[in-house]
Amino acid sequence: MRQVWYAIHRSPGGGRSSPLGTRLRALGVAACALALAASSALAQGGVVAGVVTDPGQSPIASAQVSVRGTRLGSLTDETGHFRIAGVSGNTVTLDVRRLGYRGDTVTVNVGDTSVHITLTASAINLNTVVVTGTATGAQKREIGNAVTQIDATRVAKVAPIQSLQQLINGRAPNVDIMPATGEVGTGAKIRVRGTSSLGLAQTPLIYIDGVRTDNDQSTGPPNQAFGSSTISRWNDIDPEDIERIEIIKGPSASTLYGTEASNGVVNIITKHGAPGETRYSLNVQQGTNFFMNPDGRFPTNYNMVNGQLMSIDYAQLNNLYKQHTGDNIFNYGHLQKFQGSASGGTDQFQYYVSAVNESDRGIEPTNTLRRTSGRANLGIQLSPHVKVDANLNFLTGKTNLSPEAGYGGRMWTVYNMDPASLSDSLQYGFYSGMPWGYDEEYHLFQRINRFTGGFHISHDPTSWFSQRLSIGEDQVNTSDVELYSRIDSLSKWGFDPDNLGLRAQTDNDLTFQTFDYAATARAHLTSSLTAATSVGAQYYRTRSEPTSVFGDLFPAPGVSSIDATIQDRAPSEDIVENATLGYYVQEQLGWKDRRYLTLAVRSDKNSAFGKDFGRVYYPKASASWVLSDEPFFHVPVFSSLRLRAAYGESGEQPDQFAATRAYAPATGPNDAAAVTPLSIGNPNLGPERGKELEAGLDAGLLNERVALEFTYYNKRTTDAILEEQIAPSVGFSATQFVNAGEVQNHGVELLARVTPIQNSTVTWDASFTFASNNNKITRLGIAGEKCISAGTYVENCEGYPVGSWFMQRIVSAVDSSGTAIDVKCDSAGVATSCANAPVEYFGNSIPKHEGSFTSTVTLWGRLKVYGLLDFQTGQQKLNGNYRLTCYFELGGECRERFFPQDYDPKLIAGIQKRLPGYLIQNASFAKLREVSLSYSVPDRLASRIGAQSASLTLAGHNLHTWTDYPGLEPEADFLGGSRSGNAAWEQTAVPQLTSFTLAVNLTF
């Protein structure tokens, strides 16, 4: 079959909507019409209905109830009720499964509509079905790798969650959430099992109901110089719509997902309807956020004023600002969310529809988030063997960001507050401008319209063969704007020349398309041996059409369009496409439902590969042994025990044009159009290859009151892509991308769940996660190079972690009346003059250890008390705020410059000699992330307002931080711009805000 690979990059070009997206929306309308027709059909046969609860009589939602030996089944609704029609015979056996609970099997009479099934909490369940990329998924007992599952429905019942990244945080070992700022609407960077690349993105893939979607974690206005306020596409999906999340963490598990999957895969499964009458739910959240303890977190700054040393702190500055404006520098923000849904259906048609409106405000007036979204998940049983599922979601909104590091802003002018400007009637102690001036002058925002849709056809023509076809598209249309208003009066307040106006805008039409076919055939080779053969083919295509325009100087106040600017720069437009076509084949053998061996291989071709590279092949092998099912296993303490191991490979393709020889337009002789060499390309450039071995065990102890999941992993990235200097004589300047480096990550992961108490009065559930990661560059592969620069003060060196800090290290100094003298630096263990000393390793910018502890206590089945504490240790970060007052001395200066004799002479030597090693500081921390109190209202009280059930939840987030880090926020990290990469920076970013939220949940 002939294959056509696209690598398009031209300017100008016309943006256009995706034909597939148009067809998907049309299919959505058709599906709704078909669903209405299907729902009018009456189910034939008998009915079985009832409720599923826990021992405390609390309803269990989203439990799977199926009739053994048939395809009939149902999900319980928010009240725990289920209904299955079309049942034949006098009695049937029901299999009941729910993540986090011990499965149960009950025999009931057909026609019984008051079945009551009680599920007890189970720390481990090997029969849980997980998404694997094959047509039918697999039970956990069958696969040889770890899969972390997050029960989103259960989490939402105990603590209101504001975003997808917040939902993941602390609930999956070795999945680190690294936020940049506490502004509302902004996101975080997610890193799974350490840093695996020296230059490519570290972002896991995201699938929403089987459709690959935009996973960009760093979007926003065009000139965010330091990337301290960025918007993550991960948080576009509302947590209330999510049923569960499954995370596979590396190549040992992601082989079937192919190229781009070496950083892991996050599968998001949204809520679906269940047969039964329509159930309505309403979730209302109201809350506030604020900057906790700014007085104790901003430093006291000093300066000489008329020969006298003066100081200023935040409390003093805020009081002055309040006297002149009647307002605080940082105020209380507001969190508000309304979410409603309806679900139900018949045996032929099930539906879940929802709508969300969110309106948040941060601690600065310019920081707001407003968005509205709607979801429709439809399931249509066309015949006993064919089912069609449609998943449609639309989002629209606007996020306004504060002007932080790249533009100044409140954080900037406060952190550098200067006592020298206290008497200045235009400054009042602020460094660069009055806070209200920043609010009026700078406007940074992103508008978004996003449609995500997918259709999945499942076909089971026989009991031994299943196939599935998925077609989907994610369309993301954003407009990122940086607007400076023309306000002539702000010139005297220090905003000249920005106050003359500017507008920069980037509009981008981004499309992700998914075509995925998978089939599985199962056979009983003998009475003990089973085989499952799976094949699949996937085609993924992305297309980005960014258009940028810039205009400078508005002629008069009140205008804001590009056309109104006096000085214009030419607009630019790009079209960038990437396509992947992949195939896989997998064979799984099972022996007596307790021993499993899986072998697979996947082959990919990606349009970013060099033209001479060809295809790439990724192998996979895994083994799973349910030891506790063996007849010889008699260890009473173990209710279940599984040993597992897996090896797999996947990849990460180069940037789209890294392999392509490119030329830039130029003006030739006689003003003729010409081109000039731009980049040499590399026709042999291939993907980075992730190779991972993991082994571990899953154990249930004490009648599954305790569960342990332990994993050891060793992951290597080979053929890491680096830039190699080329000789100018070849006709191209600069560098060439080559496959050369190698990076290793290894460590352990532990997840422990316990249910020490479970009765009708008290249930106590707790969990503990711990993970370690040891990261090292084992080879650069560039001739003559042992280190390459990775940013300011950051190097990638053989034998050291990716993104390590390297600076000169002061080992001795002597204080002489406040002046550091006889300063010596380290040189391979020898103290020498700092002028001749080399740079030394200062530490790792990536956490070496992380973990969390959660606890939920349920009293009388109604009152839940919940808490989450998480921690990260072993990382160092650059204190960019300290750098401003001690190294650059921008406004008010740090205390060390005026009282040097109170400090270690080595620290003073670093400050006075401008040797910035003192800026690298331990950023380990533990944070009380979530605490909540939830109460389920008695049904008789809920019925007074027409509800079937009601609950109230009061939750707090980011309540306390334990850390030795002296800066504002140990978590703050640039996500994009000129200071992003593998190292952690903090500079005038809003810290993580403390928030309190009251949520009311009603079901009708």
Side-chain angles (χ1 to χ4, degrees):
M1 183 180 66
R2 185 178 180 182
Q3 300 166 4
V4 181
W5 304 103
Y6 297 96
I8 302 174
H9 183 256
R10 66 178 184 263
S11 180
R16 57 186 181 274
S17 62
S18 165
L20 177 61
T22 302
R23 289 194 293 270
L24 281 176
R25 285 190 287 269
L27 283 172
V29 176
C32 290
L34 182 61
L36 291 174
S39 64
S40 64
L42 295 177
Q44 300 297 315
V47 174
V48 174
V51 64
V52 179
T53 69
D54 64 17
Q57 304 306 307
S58 294
I60 298 177
S62 301
Q64 296 178 338
V65 184
S66 58
V67 179
R68 180 173 293 181
T70 74
R71 291 178 50 85
L72 300 174
S74 175
L75 290 174
T76 58
D77 59 23
E78 293 295 321
T79 65
H81 286 85
F82 69 92
R83 179 182 181 275
I84 305 173
V87 183
S88 60
N90 297 321
T91 62
V92 293
T93 300
L94 301 181
D95 291 319
V96 188
R97 301 286 181 266
R98 179 66 171 92
L99 180 63
Y101 292 88
R102 187 179 309 165
D104 197 7
T105 299
V106 296
T107 299
V108 300
N109 294 322
V110 174
D112 189 348
T113 58
S114 58
V115 177
H116 188 174
I117 303 171
T118 301
L119 296 184
T120 57
S122 173
I124 190 169
N125 187 350
L126 298 180
N127 295 323
T128 300
V129 176
V130 296
V131 178
T132 62
T134 60
T136 58
Q139 291 183 334
K140 290 185 72 173
R141 64 169 50 237
E142 301 173 349
I143 59 178
N145 52 269
V147 177
T148 298
Q149 295 180 296
I150 300 173
D151 187 344
T153 303
R154 200 174 187 185
V155 172
K157 284 184 176 297
V158 297
I161 300 296
Q162 302 299 319
S163 68
L164 170 62
Q165 291 178 325
Q166 188 182 86
L167 176 62
I168 295 174
N169 184 69
R171 296 179 173 91
N174 239 336
V175 180
D176 297 328
I177 309 295
M178 297 172 290
T181 173
E183 289 188 52
V184 300
T186 60
K189 181 164 57 180
I190 292 183
R191 182 183 287 128
V192 179
R193 287 184 175 172
T195 297
S196 303
S197 177
L198 299 173
L200 298 183
Q202 304 291 298
T203 309
L205 295 179
I206 297 181
Y207 285 80
I208 301 178
D209 295 317
V211 175
R212 187 182 292 191
T213 60
D214 187 0
N215 63 343
D216 197 340
Q217 300 176 121
S218 180
T219 73
N223 293 319
Q224 280 280 20
F226 296 156
S228 57
S229 301
T230 58
I231 301 166
S232 173
R233 292 280 72 86
W234 288 57
N235 295 330
D236 288 344
I237 181 171
D238 187 73
E240 296 291 335
D241 284 336
I242 300 174
E243 178 185 308
R244 70 183 189 276
I245 298 172
E246 298 178 358
I247 303 174
I248 54 180
K249 300 175 185 176
S252 65
S254 62
T255 298
L256 296 189
Y257 293 89
T259 299
E260 303 176 77
S262 62
N263 296 310
V265 178
V266 177
N267 281 304
I268 298 171
I269 298 91
T270 60
K271 295 178 179 178
H272 292 73
E277 63 182 17
T278 301
R279 303 284 184 177
Y280 301 94
S281 68
L282 176 65
N283 177 271
V284 179
Q285 297 180 17
Q286 295 288 332
T288 185
N289 54 22
F290 57 95
F291 191 148
M292 178 175 279
N293 189 30
D295 295 358
R297 296 166 73 177
F298 280 105
T300 299
N301 289 349
Y302 296 79
N303 215 332
M304 298 297 296
V305 181
N306 299 323
Q308 181 179 359
L309 180 64
M310 297 185 64
S311 67
I312 186 172
D313 60 23
Y314 176 80
Q316 183 180 1
L317 186 71
N318 189 59
N319 287 334
L320 286 170
Y321 187 67
K322 197 168 185 178
Q323 290 175 16
H324 290 92
T325 65
D327 198 9
N328 293 308
I329 301 172
F330 300 108
N331 285 295
Y332 285 88
H334 181 226
L335 305 174
Q336 178 174 276
K337 180 177 177 181
F338 298 93
Q339 192 263 358
S341 67
S343 64
T346 68
D347 298 288
Q348 288 75 37
F349 168 59
Q350 302 87 45
Y351 56 90
Y352 170 86
V353 295
S354 69
V356 182
N357 181 268
E358 191 172 359
S359 178
D360 297 339
R361 185 178 69 249
I363 60 172
E364 302 179 59
T366 52
N367 178 211
T368 61
L369 166 69
R370 296 182 184 275
R371 60 186 175 194
T372 302
S373 65
R375 169 169 293 277
N377 290 344
L378 310 175
I380 309 167
Q381 192 75 45
L382 297 180
S383 77
H385 304 291
V386 180
K387 184 178 182 182
V388 177
D389 291 288
N391 308 107
L392 310 172
N393 189 78
F394 181 76
L395 168 78
T396 184
K398 180 182 180 183
T399 303
N400 292 287
L401 300 173
S402 301
E404 289 188 1
Y407 309 87
R410 290 181 180 234
M411 293 293 298
W412 175 271
T413 195
V414 171
Y415 201 93
N416 296 294
M417 55 187 149
D418 189 354
S421 68
L422 279 170
S423 59
D424 187 337
S425 60
L426 298 178
Q427 294 295 110
Y428 301 118
F430 291 96
Y431 165 64
S432 55
M434 296 293 283
W436 58 262
Y438 283 102
D439 301 340
E440 294 186 11
E441 178 59 38
Y442 302 102
H443 309 278
L444 315 171
F445 57 88
Q446 179 185 88
R447 291 190 179 97
I448 182 172
N449 289 295
R450 183 175 185 179
F451 167 78
T452 306
F455 285 84
H456 315 277
I457 303 174
S458 301
H459 182 213
D460 303 326
T462 70
S463 61
W464 56 268
F465 181 75
S466 301
Q467 59 183 338
R468 182 208 67 222
L469 176 65
S470 298
I471 302 174
E473 180 165 298
D474 185 27
Q475 292 183 7
V476 184
N477 308 114
T478 57
S479 180
D480 296 313
V481 177
E482 173 189 4
L483 172 64
Y484 299 178
S485 300
R486 172 141 191 172
I487 307 176
D488 294 337
S489 60
L490 283 180
S491 176
K492 66 179 181 179
W493 295 91
F495 290 90
D496 186 43
D498 288 352
N499 66 299
L500 297 179
L502 171 152
R503 186 181 180 107
Q505 181 168 332
T506 298
D507 296 338
N508 190 19
D509 295 334
L510 181 62
T511 303
F512 286 74
Q513 293 179 339
T514 300
F515 300 87
D516 184 348
Y517 172 79
T520 298
R522 299 182 179 274
H524 288 272
L525 303 181
T526 70
S527 60
S528 301
L529 182 63
T530 61
T533 303
S534 299
V535 297
Q538 292 83 29
Y539 176 72
Y540 302 113
R541 178 176 176 268
T542 64
R543 178 184 176 92
S544 177
E545 299 184 50
T547 303
S548 298
V549 64
F550 175 90
D552 200 9
L553 299 181
F554 292 121
V559 294
S560 59
S561 67
I562 294 288
D563 289 342
T565 56
I566 297 173
Q567 299 179 9
D568 289 335
R569 298 180 183 176
S572 64
E573 183 176 20
D574 288 341
I575 298 177
V576 181
E577 291 188 343
N578 180 267
T580 300
L581 179 62
Y583 313 95
Y584 73 80
V585 59
Q586 175 177 284
E587 185 66 39
Q588 182 181 90
L589 299 176
W591 179 262
K592 294 185 176 180
D593 201 26
R594 55 179 179 261
R595 303 179 195 175
Y596 300 90
L597 175 65
T598 304
L599 300 173
V601 64
R602 181 181 172 105
S603 175
D604 276 357
K605 177 70 175 179
N606 183 275
S607 60
F609 296 168
K611 64 182 181 65
D612 296 336
F613 179 80
R615 300 189 69 84
V616 62
Y617 295 88
Y618 303 117
K620 167 187 173 180
S622 74
S624 174
W625 183 15
V626 186
L627 189 61
S628 56
D629 285 355
E630 295 287 357
F632 61 78
F633 188 85
H634 300 289
V635 183
V637 71
F638 285 98
S639 51
S640 61
L641 176 62
R642 179 173 74 116
L643 306 180
R644 50 181 165 79
Y647 174 83
E649 299 183 11
S650 58
E652 184 74 15
Q653 84 275 14
D655 289 339
Q656 181 58 43
F657 302 106
T660 306
R661 180 166 295 191
Y663 299 85
T667 303
N670 301 318
D671 293 329
V675 295
T676 185
L678 181 62
S679 62
I680 191 172
N682 182 352
N684 296 308
L685 190 66
E688 297 186 344
R689 292 180 68 102
K691 304 177 180 181
E692 185 178 56
L693 173 68
E694 73 168 57
L697 61 85
D698 303 324
L701 297 90
L702 303 176
N703 198 26
E704 297 211 1
R705 288 293 184 95
V706 178
L708 297 176
E709 296 180 14
F710 174 82
T711 302
Y712 167 81
Y713 67 93
N714 191 323
K715 179 172 64 172
R716 289 190 306 129
T717 299
T718 62
D719 297 329
I721 296 174
L722 297 168
E723 292 185 76
E724 185 175 37
Q725 195 72 36
I726 59 176
S729 59
V730 301
F732 289 81
S733 60
T735 59
Q736 179 185 41
F737 289 99
V738 295
N739 295 110
E742 183 174 297
V743 179
Q744 182 184 50
N745 288 272
H746 67 90
V748 298
E749 298 166 354
L750 174 66
L751 172 61
R753 299 189 184 96
V754 297
T755 308
I757 302 174
Q758 186 177 46
N759 56 50
S760 60
T761 303
V762 180
T763 299
W764 178 22
D765 299 310
S767 67
F768 173 77
T769 70
F770 173 82
S772 67
N773 178 262
N774 295 281
N775 176 267
K776 183 171 68 174
I777 301 171
T778 54
R779 183 171 62 89
L780 280 179
I782 304 296
E785 297 287 349
K786 293 296 181 182
C787 293
I788 56 175
S789 175
T792 307
Y793 312 131
V794 183
E795 300 281 339
N796 286 332
C797 298
E798 288 186 1
Y800 293 91
V802 175
S804 292
W805 301 108
F806 279 88
M807 298 185 189
Q808 289 180 306
R809 185 186 301 277
I810 298 173
V811 295
S812 65
V814 176
D815 173 65
S816 177
S817 301
T819 299
I821 62 173
D822 196 20
V823 180
K824 302 292 184 182
C825 288
D826 182 54
S827 179
V830 178
T832 188
S833 169
C834 292
N836 302 316
V839 295
E840 298 286 340
Y841 174 63
F842 259 68
N844 182 20
S845 60
I846 306 167
K848 292 183 178 180
H849 307 98
E850 59 91 12
S852 66
F853 173 75
T854 65
S855 177
T856 306
V857 176
T858 305
L859 303 174
W860 306 289
R862 297 197 178 278
L863 182 65
K864 293 181 183 291
V865 182
Y866 166 81
L868 166 63
L869 182 146
D870 60 76
F871 63 88
Q872 293 182 358
T873 66
Q875 76 275 26
Q876 289 73 38
K877 69 180 296 184
L878 189 141
N879 189 337
N881 293 327
Y882 193 32
R883 184 171 175 248
L884 300 177
T885 58
C886 264
Y887 188 85
F888 286 124
E889 310 166 62
L890 290 183
E893 300 175 29
C894 64
R895 187 178 188 277
E896 290 87 336
R897 287 197 167 273
F898 298 96
F899 300 93
Q901 292 172 304
D902 293 349
Y903 299 91
D904 187 334
K906 290 186 291 184
L907 170 62
I908 299 304
I911 294 172
Q912 294 179 348
K913 304 298 182 182
R914 300 185 65 79
L915 299 174
Y918 64 93
L919 297 174
I920 307 302
Q921 298 167 343
N922 180 14
S924 300
F925 70 89
K927 183 162 289 195
L928 185 57
R929 188 73 63 179
E930 299 170 5
V931 172
S932 71
L933 183 67
S934 180
Y935 179 68
S936 296
V937 177
D939 293 346
R940 57 183 177 80
L941 296 180
S943 63
R944 294 183 179 180
I945 58 173
Q948 288 188 334
S949 65
S951 66
L952 302 173
T953 302
L954 177 64
H957 289 83
N958 301 318
L959 300 179
H960 187 74
T961 303
W962 295 268
T963 183
D964 291 331
Y965 180 68
L968 288 176
E969 177 58 74
E971 288 189 281
D973 188 14
F974 292 141
L975 302 188
S978 61
R979 298 288 167 81
S980 68
N982 292 315
W985 277 71
E986 175 200 14
Q987 184 168 308
T988 62
V990 173
Q992 293 299 294
L993 301 179
T994 299
S995 66
F996 288 98
T997 306
L998 177 64
V1000 179
N1001 290 277
L1002 302 174
T1003 301
F1004 301 91

